[in-house]
Amino acid sequence: MTSRSKQVALVSLVAGAFLVPAHSNRAEEHSQPNRITILYDAFGKNPAMKKDWGFSAFVEINGKRILFDTGNDGTTFAANVKAKGVDLSRLDFVVLSHRHSDHMAGLAHVLSMNPHVKIYAPKEGFGIYGSSLPSSFYRKDDSLPADMRYYDGKPPQVMQFGAAWPDANIETIDKSTEIAPGMNLLALISDAPGTKELKELSLTLNTPQGMIIIVGCSHPGIDKIVEAATAINPKIHLVLGGFHMVTATDEGIAKTVSSLKDVYKVSNIAPGHCTGEPTFAALQRAFGSNYLYAGLGTSLQIDSLAVNTRRGEGPGLDGTDASTYRRLARREDPLGTFAWRLRTAARRDLPLIPNSSP
């Protein structure tokens, strides 16, 4: 075996040992598609599906099956799910981004097919998904007789409030939380007029190419959501969903487009729902071939999305090497870094340890 062949073999051995989690089933993961399918929106090309105002996306990644939001009408949602052949009984979990009806009206249909599925929803003081508050939230008056006082003047320490779906397996989220390896829910609060204090969840998926962000309506601001995601991974591979700019001014649109493209350097953009037609047009001009059509019925193949190259610099590392290096650096894994060096050396026909002699 030549020296280079030995090096390549060693690369394969080390990479297999350190770059793949021991518990992962690689054969199973590769047999499943990594894609996002739009099940609910008001624009699209699929004649077998009904357009309506609202949003739902079905995510398949690394063997996981995730439903993000459930649309505006249960009957329409059920028909669209059937048209795409999605089996709701096999969901791993559901994410409800926020309490607006155009994102959650299909939940009853989901529960009819999968009554015990795990559901994540934003936690609110008085929330439709169920909530609780300490009884200290209200003022008390000890001078009143017991029959004029709440709970006869002896309230429980924590007051529980009912959910619209009392038997559903709902977990409310009030802070950004990792719900599975590489999968996080970002919990942000809107400060915009009309939706002030509205809590909203966005789903992030950490992939070798970078971060994928799926948003419902982006009431807290799409730029703030992306900024929160960069704390997990600064490389944003894809942003998909509603950007809440359907009534935005041209100036507001231009500012947001610039923020996504130039500040956060988003690689691919797939807007839908409440993003707004003028914003669709502005994003398409700005992102060119990296603007991805995401109308009703569209399935975006995650693994085939373009990866940004380094701008204004020498060739550096290619996209695969760079993403591997970043992932390993974040984990502070010296053995993984060693594997990356082996791989890079083999690809470029370089010695593993550079000759230090002059």
Side-chain angles (χ1 to χ4, degrees):
M1 183 180 287
T2 65
S3 174
R4 178 168 174 77
S5 297
K6 291 179 181 178
Q7 191 177 59
V8 172
L10 182 57
V11 168
S12 299
L13 177 63
V14 174
F18 297 113
L19 297 185
V20 179
H23 63 272
S24 70
N25 186 329
R26 282 177 287 180
E28 180 181 348
E29 288 185 2
H30 287 299
S31 69
Q32 299 294 326
N34 286 328
R35 63 189 178 189
I36 304 171
T37 301
I38 308 303
L39 297 178
Y40 212 105
D41 214 322
F43 71 102
K45 302 176 182 179
N46 191 323
M49 302 177 76
K50 182 178 179 180
K51 302 177 186 68
D52 186 34
W53 190 266
F55 187 69
S56 178
F58 177 53
V59 182
E60 299 166 277
I61 186 167
N62 297 335
K64 295 288 188 184
R65 299 164 59 87
I66 306 158
L67 181 65
F68 186 93
D69 284 343
T70 65
N72 181 62
D73 176 81
T75 301
T76 299
F77 173 74
N80 287 349
V81 166
K82 182 178 181 180
K84 292 302 293 184
V86 175
D87 185 355
L88 297 178
S89 70
R90 296 179 54 210
L91 294 174
D92 288 282
F93 58 88
V94 177
V95 177
L96 297 175
S97 62
H98 62 294
R99 66 176 182 252
H100 287 169
S101 60
D102 57 334
H103 292 257
M104 65 180 189
L107 183 57
H109 177 67
V110 176
L111 292 172
S112 73
M113 305 297 292
N114 195 340
H116 305 297
V117 66
K118 182 76 171 186
I119 301 167
Y120 294 101
K123 184 175 183 178
E124 299 176 314
F126 288 92
I128 193 171
Y129 307 113
S131 54
S132 62
L133 281 176
S135 57
S136 58
F137 89 91
Y138 71 88
R139 293 179 61 196
K140 298 168 179 63
D141 189 336
D142 293 339
S143 69
L144 290 173
D147 62 1
M148 289 183 66
R149 302 192 63 193
Y150 303 128
Y151 302 96
D152 296 322
K154 300 175 182 179
Q157 186 174 357
V158 177
M159 299 169 59
Q160 301 289 339
F161 304 102
W165 304 273
D167 298 323
N169 180 19
I170 298 176
E171 179 179 342
T172 54
I173 303 293
D174 64 350
K175 61 182 179 181
S176 296
T177 303
E178 184 178 48
I179 55 176
M183 299 181 185
N184 288 264
L185 291 175
L186 304 179
L188 281 77
I189 303 175
S190 173
D191 194 38
T195 60
K196 195 174 182 66
E197 298 185 358
L198 176 71
K199 296 186 178 181
E200 185 167 339
L201 301 181
S202 302
L203 175 65
T204 68
L205 310 168
N206 215 354
T207 76
Q209 294 79 27
M211 183 71 74
I212 293 174
I213 309 172
I214 302 174
V215 295
C217 258
S218 304
H219 290 290
I222 186 61
D223 52 341
K224 292 182 180 178
I225 294 171
V226 173
E227 180 183 21
T230 62
I232 304 171
N233 184 348
K235 182 172 178 57
I236 306 302
H237 186 48
L238 169 68
V239 183
L240 176 146
F243 297 176
H244 196 56
M245 301 190 70
V246 72
T247 61
T249 63
D250 289 345
E251 292 77 12
I253 292 170
K255 181 179 178 181
T256 297
V257 171
S258 177
S259 178
L260 295 173
K261 187 173 188 292
D262 302 322
V263 177
Y264 298 110
K265 301 189 185 302
V266 173
S267 296
N268 299 280
I269 203 86
H273 184 42
C274 58
T275 300
E277 294 177 6
T279 313
F280 288 160
L283 288 167
Q284 188 175 46
R285 288 192 297 270
F287 281 85
S289 61
N290 294 99
Y291 177 98
L292 307 176
Y293 180 80
L296 178 63
T298 303
S299 288
L300 299 178
Q301 303 300 321
I302 294 173
D303 297 331
S304 64
L305 301 182
V307 178
N308 262 352
T309 56
R310 294 154 68 94
R311 297 184 222 172
E313 303 177 14
L317 304 173
D318 67 21
T320 304
D321 285 339
S323 62
T324 301
Y325 178 80
R326 278 190 292 271
R327 184 171 66 253
L328 295 170
R330 283 195 303 276
R331 293 179 180 174
E332 299 180 353
D333 180 358
L335 290 174
T337 304
F338 179 67
W340 172 81
R341 288 175 178 170
L342 281 173
R343 181 172 177 272
T344 302
R347 285 168 58 90
R348 300 183 181 178
D349 200 17
L350 298 173
L352 176 60
I353 301 177
N355 191 341
S356 58
S357 59

